[in-house]
Amino acid sequence: MRDERGATTAGMTDRAGATLVLGATGRIGGMLRAHWGADAPVRWQTRGDAPGPDWVRADPLEARAIARAARDCGAILCLAGITPARAAGGGDMGDNVALALAALRAGAETGAHVLLASSAAIYGDRSGLLDEGMAPAPVSPYGAAKAEMEARARDLADRLGVTLCALRIGNVAGADAILGGWRPGFALDRFADGRTPRRSYVGPRTLARALRALAGARDLPGVVNVAAPGAVEMGALLDAAGLDWRARPAPEGAIAHVELATARLGRLVDLPAAAGRAETLVAEWRGLS
């Protein structure tokens, strides 16, 4: 079955197929809340007071609390995690593992499958096309924390018999360092061929459609890259957004091209060919698409 946006929604047509979203108050959670709509059977988790009937109050580090919140749900989507910004403010990167394991224990109790928000940062500083079969090689503390999370979660999922899918999410337009981090005087590396860095991106609307489809699927691989097809130049993104920037010579060792393979995602989700174009990404970021 497909919804009006073209996303596959198998298993999400009734409350038994609902998705519990952990970390629903974060940046990606906000994107889902803006795009899933009232027709998506969902329960949003918060640590604070529940602001509406589709919200549940639960500590995402407590497996029993998650299991109560996930009663009758078909999937648990764990977006909760410690980002570099939160770590800089005193957050513990080790909580990424603890959050994942709590979600898996809740999945074992309820029968829900579990999707964990991981990161393309686990691929490290490799260049070119990166596919899910590559072994993690993180270079940043955040990438290392997500790689450990994936490994520990896979071990527990296998022992508990829980279906687990790690979502290696690329740059999200608006939650990134380019569109989201733009400031006057912004500078980008320019390589000898005249191009600025090319990276895999996904817009908020496409991301929401993809996550909704993955949450509703019942035959998931262990790992899926989540990005729009292809790679986009950072300069093209800023140009499409009408944001000024200046070029600087790329330093030695700078990586020109990093692209997430999306063939696996494309077998599970309807990905428009234009989803990775600069104009589309900017339109989604601004809520125009």
Side-chain angles (χ1 to χ4, degrees):
M1 177 178 180
R2 294 182 182 272
D3 71 358
E4 71 282 2
R5 302 177 182 90
T8 302
T9 56
M12 296 193 68
T13 56
D14 54 33
R15 178 54 64 179
T19 299
L20 172 66
V21 180
L22 304 177
T25 58
R27 296 182 87 174
I28 292 180
M31 293 174 183
L32 301 192
R33 288 186 279 113
H35 290 284
W36 275 11
D39 62 324
V42 63
R43 294 174 191 160
W44 309 104
Q45 174 271 331
T46 178
R47 289 177 182 265
D49 292 335
D54 291 330
W55 287 80
V56 291
R57 183 175 183 176
D59 184 342
L61 287 167
E62 295 291 336
R64 289 183 178 177
I66 300 171
R68 287 193 296 270
R71 181 174 50 85
D72 299 328
C73 286
I76 298 171
L77 172 58
C78 183
L79 302 177
I82 306 300
T83 63
R86 289 189 63 187
D92 184 356
M93 281 285 190
D95 279 352
N96 286 303
V97 172
L99 289 160
L101 300 187
L104 283 164
R105 292 187 177 102
E109 184 172 336
T110 61
H113 65 260
V114 176
L115 299 97
L116 297 178
S118 186
S119 170
I122 75 161
Y123 291 115
D125 56 2
R126 294 183 177 108
S127 62
L129 188 65
L130 309 179
D131 69 58
E132 295 91 342
M134 291 179 170
V139 295
S140 67
Y142 180 64
K146 288 296 188 179
E148 181 184 3
M149 178 199 75
E150 283 194 22
R152 295 275 300 277
R154 174 57 53 201
D155 178 69
L156 183 61
D158 289 345
R159 288 192 280 116
L160 296 179
V162 177
T163 298
L164 167 66
C165 182
L167 309 173
R168 294 178 182 171
I169 301 173
N171 293 299
V172 180
D176 62 316
I178 305 303
L179 293 176
W182 181 89
R183 298 291 184 275
F186 201 88
L188 288 174
D189 292 343
R190 175 171 281 163
F191 295 89
D193 63 0
R195 304 179 79 172
T196 55
R198 287 167 286 159
R199 298 292 186 266
S200 282
Y201 262 81
V202 64
R205 182 172 181 267
T206 299
L207 176 64
R209 290 176 60 239
L211 295 186
R212 183 175 177 184
L214 292 171
R218 290 296 177 264
D219 186 15
L220 289 169
V223 179
V224 176
N225 288 336
V226 179
V232 63
E233 278 195 55
M234 293 178 174
L237 269 180
L238 293 178
D239 289 344
L243 299 174
D244 292 334
W245 59 280
R246 61 182 177 83
R248 63 190 177 198
E252 184 178 354
I255 300 174
H257 178 209
V258 179
E259 180 178 342
L260 297 180
T262 58
R264 187 174 293 185
L265 179 66
R267 290 191 289 269
L268 298 163
V269 178
D270 182 13
L271 289 174
R277 294 176 185 168
E279 295 77 10
T280 304
L281 293 164
V282 169
E284 291 195 18
W285 168 51
R286 288 180 167 161
L288 302 176
S289 175

